[in-house]
Amino acid sequence: MIEKKRIAILGSTGSIGTQTMDVLDSIEAKPVALTTNRNIKLLEQQARQWQPECVTAFDETAAKDLKIMLGDTDIRVLGGMDGLMEAASLPTAEVTVTAVVGMAGLLPTMAAIEAGHDIALANKETLVCAGSLVTAAARQKGVRLLPVDSEHSAIFQCVQAAQGNRIAKIILTASGGPFFGKTAAELENVTVEQALKHPNWSMGAKITIDSATMFNKGLELIEAMWLYDMPPEDIEIVIHRQSIIHSLIEFVDGAVLAQLDLPDMRLPIQYALTYPVRLPCKMERLDLAKIGHLSFYPPDEQAFPALRIARQAAARKGNAGAVMNGANEAAVALFLERKISFLDIPRLVGQAMDSLPYQQIFSIDDVLASDCAARQAVYTQI
Ligand code: NDP
Ligand code: MG
């Protein structure tokens, strides 16, 4: 039996957050901090059930309401970015799950690292924007960045078998999303509803749109580059429609290792929290005969320019990741508000990348400035 782990869960009301809550019993963990943006109804329920030390609503008005709702308890109620950072770095926590969506996760992730917590990292945007700073801070503090993203968890699990041997190549699998096989012309008029229908995974809206544009795989390419210190040209992307093989690594002798299971985030979440121990997991077991066949295709960079844009950002490093990510977050939000078309997303991100100056980044402030400039570049185009 492993020791009871004390966990801070940032974004506990979201898709990854609620699935993290779902594995707490089986791994005998206790949440000491829970956070939301605005979903205080669910956060109140979670808080009453789990009795954490503190809860945070990023939205200050929601935080005020939550304080009243939890007035009969001892739970501290915090608000805003300061509250999120305090929840992330609570001295009693050993590990912080970063399941907030977007750049909003950067400062709390850095705060958790500073506090010496291991990071169960779902928030990929953090590494895309500030990979050099986040990995350096983690190294300096001696904390682990444990991947939650299913592809990066698969790589992490395969790496256990490397025994010090160099990994020659990472092969990231991609489902291809709802628009696999469509041409650029056919993508012209796709709707928000169509883009939100992912064939294999049920996730938050932002990552679901990223999966449809393939920016998700682009973000994951950069995430893998930082997590595994791999040059981007040694990271290959292959479309695998069934999402059963979650990713693969290739050794110098050509041997390829893969990790397989059904598309269910509870396994990678649980493994990040119990590593290096494995415990039984609630999810359904893989039955290969039932699945029948697994299929693979090369990605189509003509119809999905996000992959090409992400490769550019990965090769440039510096502020390129922050610019790409900031522009993408702004464009995805505009698409969800039905103010731009689906194909405007990669077009606007590409334009932001082309128009903003390349800069090195030395601090989180540099990252925030590039993020802000990228969002501005998108807004001025519409
Ligand atoms: P969701 O949108 O479902 O949940 C996001 C969580 O963060 C919610 O609790 C939300 O609160 C909170 N939140 C949103 N915006 C802010 C903000 N500005 N400040 C503070 N908190 C905020 O997202 P997902 O769970 O799908 O994704 C979370 C992260 O995990 C993303 O980075 C995503 O890329 C990554 N990921 C997700 C996977 C998945 O299967 N869902 C798979 C792999 C990676 P509220 O409830 O009020 O909106
Ligand atoms: Mg993924």
Side-chain angles (χ1 to χ4, degrees):
M1 186 61 67
I2 55 157
E3 248 179 68
K4 212 170 209 180
K5 258 203 175 126
R6 293 182 309 277
I7 307 177
I9 307 172
L10 310 182
S12 63
T13 56
S15 162
I16 292 289
T18 50
Q19 292 180 87
T20 306
M21 303 298 282
D22 202 32
V23 303
L24 289 179
D25 271 335
S26 28
I27 63 170
E28 294 216 13
K30 174 174 169 44
V32 291
L34 299 171
T35 83
T36 187
N37 181 18
R38 287 200 193 98
N39 192 349
I40 48 175
K41 217 167 146 197
L42 179 55
L43 190 60
E44 183 196 6
Q45 274 174 29
Q46 293 178 336
R48 289 194 184 276
Q49 182 183 351
W50 291 96
Q51 297 290 319
E53 284 172 39
C54 86
V55 292
T56 301
F58 178 70
D59 182 283
E60 300 274 11
T61 314
K64 279 191 191 118
D65 291 342
L66 186 62
K67 207 173 170 83
I68 297 166
M69 286 153 75
L70 290 174
D72 61 325
T73 71
D74 297 334
I75 302 166
R76 276 199 305 140
V77 179
L78 309 168
M81 185 49 82
D82 286 349
L84 206 55
M85 289 168 70
E86 196 172 332
S89 55
L90 217 58
T92 45
E94 298 160 69
V95 53
T96 297
V97 179
T98 62
V100 161
V101 59
M103 252 291 279
L106 178 57
L107 290 173
T109 303
M110 290 301 277
I113 294 173
E114 277 304 311
H117 300 177
D118 284 335
I119 306 295
L121 186 117
N123 180 245
K124 61 191 86 180
E125 293 92 344
T126 300
L127 276 190
V128 172
C129 294
S132 60
L133 303 176
V134 172
T135 51
R139 260 195 310 277
Q140 201 230 333
K141 280 282 169 185
V143 309
R144 296 183 294 199
L145 298 176
L146 300 156
V148 166
D149 212 349
S150 57
E151 296 76 3
H152 305 74
S153 174
I155 298 160
F156 184 55
Q157 293 178 61
C158 293
V159 163
Q160 314 299 321
Q163 300 203 330
N165 283 292
R166 196 172 74 77
I167 300 164
K169 197 160 79 176
I170 284 176
I171 304 166
L172 285 178
T173 53
S175 71
F179 302 138
F180 169 73
K182 285 202 189 297
T183 62
E186 288 167 335
L187 290 174
E188 199 73 58
N189 295 315
V190 296
T191 63
V192 170
E193 288 69 26
Q194 288 168 328
L196 282 173
K197 271 206 192 98
H198 196 282
N200 302 343
W201 299 95
S202 162
M203 312 179 284
K206 193 263 177 180
I207 183 175
T208 307
I209 301 301
D210 284 346
S211 299
T213 58
M214 300 286 294
F215 263 115
N216 184 48
K217 215 45 59 179
L219 298 171
E220 289 183 354
L221 168 89
I222 302 176
E223 184 185 10
M225 171 179 98
W226 290 117
L227 279 176
Y228 299 104
D229 195 20
M230 284 294 277
E233 56 276 18
D234 292 337
I235 306 175
E236 193 179 299
I237 293 168
V238 66
I239 306 289
H240 165 44
R241 289 299 281 159
Q242 296 81 9
S243 300
I244 296 294
I245 296 183
H246 293 299
S247 277
L248 315 91
I249 62 172
E250 186 180 306
F251 292 112
V252 284
D253 58 2
V256 174
L257 295 194
Q259 186 263 331
L260 290 73
D261 66 69
L262 292 170
D264 185 328
M265 288 305 296
R266 287 175 299 179
L267 177 59
I269 292 169
Q270 174 168 314
Y271 189 64
L273 294 173
T274 63
Y275 168 81
V277 174
R278 285 188 185 269
L279 290 175
C281 186
K282 285 184 198 170
M283 61 182 262
E284 199 188 325
R285 296 298 141 123
L286 181 64
D287 179 344
L288 282 174
K290 201 162 137 194
I291 289 159
H293 77 285
L294 302 176
S295 50
F296 306 92
Y297 306 87
D300 176 356
E301 293 194 7
Q302 289 304 317
F304 299 94
L307 292 174
R308 189 171 28 79
I309 295 171
R311 284 213 178 269
Q312 245 176 41
R316 270 191 218 167
K317 300 206 175 69
N319 67 340
V323 168
M324 182 187 86
N325 181 73
N328 182 53
E329 283 192 31
V332 170
L334 289 167
F335 175 66
L336 286 169
E337 290 163 22
R338 291 154 217 273
K339 292 191 175 141
I340 61 170
S341 74
F342 183 74
L343 286 183
D344 282 338
I345 301 174
R347 188 176 59 75
L348 289 165
V349 178
Q351 276 175 1
M353 294 269 295
D354 291 342
S355 65
L356 290 173
Y358 168 80
Q359 279 158 4
Q360 280 186 279
I361 51 169
F362 299 102
S363 68
I364 294 294
D365 282 345
D366 294 343
V367 177
L368 298 176
S370 286
D371 171 73
C372 190
R375 287 169 198 262
Q376 224 33 61
V378 168
Y379 299 140
T380 54
Q381 290 294 321
I382 56 161

